[in-house]
Structures are given as structure tokens and as C-alpha cells.
Amino acid sequence: MPSRVPDLVRGRPEPVRGAPRGGWRRATTTVGLAVVPVVLAALVLLPDLVGLDRHLPFAVFAALRPLLTVLAAAGVVLALVVRRCRPHRRPRRRRAGAVGLAGVAVIVALAAAFVVPRAIADEPPPPGGTPLTVLSFNAFEGHADVDALAEVIRRERPDLVVLPEAGERFRTRIAALVPGYRSWTNVPVRAADVRGIVVLASPRAGDVTARTISDAPGTPTDTRYPWAEVTGGILGPVRLGAVHVVSIVPGWIGYWPGELELLARWCSRPGGGSLVVGDFNATPDHSAFRSGTQGCADAATERGESLTSTWNAGWPRAVGAQIDHVLTSGGPRARDVTVLDVPGSDHRALLVHLRL
């Protein structure tokens, strides 16, 4: 038999005995199973903790956190069932998968800690004070069903009604159907409905007045849509801000955090009390919303109704986001909150009974 020539003599290095082939690839896969699911879960469920929710698509993830938390929790349970029924034949990968699954479960638990308390009502406000009923409803570029809205107003008799995405055209139509209510809009006659906010005041509201924010001396604004402020009458020293914050869509998202910061003009107002009503295009899961509304309480959150979506009205109430709000500061307290369906809009209406 011919003698074997060592590989080194032939110019080829001898292979290292016992070195696993593809070891780096297997190690990377193992780490990926343990780390990647946790990172993805954190980016989807907790983007607000690091400020990512001020950018797309993370702003959308934050808005849908209640729904995404439920889906993620269901995914964790399903993964546990699958692991129990079909054990992995590779122990190392199985252990890495268990670590990753445990990490995702922790992220889901943290997200749930933000969401669940909003379904639990606080102690109701003490009796006494002046009762006030406020209705907020996005009129969807003036396309909302005015007859259905008028029926809601006649039935519920709100003292003040705030209607974002409604201008002079919509004001004229709704005012004719609710005699006795005075009405204002904060945009010129020929402006598109989507740019305006209509305010209605019942006879009981007394001598209230409404004005565009930029009309107030010394109070410049930087909003894409004009806002309004309602004062006097039943409100007494309380000032009501009627707002429409821009949507979290490409082209607008850059303005969105700054507009939410402008809510501090009411929420940080010393003395007198404030109400802020309208379409905020944000939820308590957004860091910019929490920052801009420091000092204010969300009426729906106080009453355990914060998880009922007001957008999109075409979806089930458990799906979507509550982006319409009535905020209170410095005295006004919410007694109860009801979410109402009104045809013709992609939003639901928010009816809030308060004590001043």
C-alpha cells in the first residue's frame, strides 16, 4: 500500500479535529432565537418608552397597543402550546427559543401594565358643582349625517358640542336642525369643512363665546388646522379648547408632536380650570400626548372607557384607537363617558357628563 503523505507536506493544512462545521451559523441562529423576538416585541409594543412613537410606523403601533398586546399575548400562548406538543429535537435551539419566548412574555406583561388600568374606573367625583355635558364628534370633512347628529343632540341635550372637520357649510346645516343652539365656526365661509371646527352652545350654556385661537392677542399658534377657545357663560372661569391635531401620516407626522405640545396652554394653565375637547389623533399610549397633556386628566380614562375606540367607526369597538378626547384640568371632573355611533363619519362621538 502506498504510504500516506501528511497534508502539510502536500500544502494543505490538517483539519482541526472535533471542530463543528457551521458552528458560527448555529451560534447566530441560537442568539437570534433568543434576542430577535424580544427586540421586535419591544419595538411594536413599547416604542413610546424610547421616543420612537414620534415617527412612523411606530406611532401607529403605539396607537394600536391595546389590540397588539392582546394579539401578542395570544401568540405567546399559542407558541407555548406548540412547544409542548412538538418538542424541538435540538436542545440548544429549544433553550434559546424558551429564552426568547420568556422575553416576549415580559414585554407583553409590561404593555398590559399600561393598557389594563385604563379599563378600570377611578373613584367618581364628589356630588355638587355645576353639571356640564359635552359632545365631541369628528364630522369627517363635513360628510357626517346631520340628521342623525341632530337627533343625538336633541336626545342628549349637550351644553356644548365640538365638531372638528366642520366649517361654515356644515354649521349652516346642523344649526337649522337644532333651533335654540347658537353656533360658530373658526374658518372663513369658503374654507373646506375639513379645516374647521364648529362649536354649538345650548340655551343652558348661557352667554358663552367662541373664537379662533390665533385671534387671541399674544397667543400665536403653530397648527395645521386652526383651533378655537370657548369661554364665559356656564363655564365660568373654565376655558375650553376645541382642537384638531394633525394625523399621523406621511407629510404630517413631523408636525404632530409639536401640536400635541401646544395642549400645555390649557393643561398647564394656572388656576381657573380647563377643558380640552376634540380630535387629538393620539392616545395615552403616545409619549407626545402624555407630555403635552401633563396636568390634564383624560375623562374616558378616569371612567374606565379609554379602550373603546372612536376611530375607525367602521371597525368593531375593540379594534382601532380612541383618538377623540375630553380632557379636564383644575376643577372639572367627568361623571360618565359614553361612546356613540353616528352615521357618515369614520369617527364615533364622545359624550361626557362633567361637574364643574
Side-chain angles (χ1 to χ4, degrees), residues 266-326:
W266 293 291
C267 292
S268 299
R269 176 174 175 251
S274 300
L275 291 167
V276 196
V277 182
D279 177 4
F280 293 69
N281 275 305
T283 78
D285 291 306
H286 287 116
S287 59
F289 178 87
R290 297 194 299 268
S291 175
T293 62
Q294 284 184 14
C296 276
D298 180 33
T301 300
E302 284 194 317
R303 303 273 50 88
E305 293 291 338
S306 181
L307 302 184
T308 304
S309 68
T310 58
W311 182 91
N312 188 307
W315 302 343
R317 289 182 168 220
V319 180
Q322 187 173 115
I323 59 175
D324 301 271
H325 303 277
V326 172

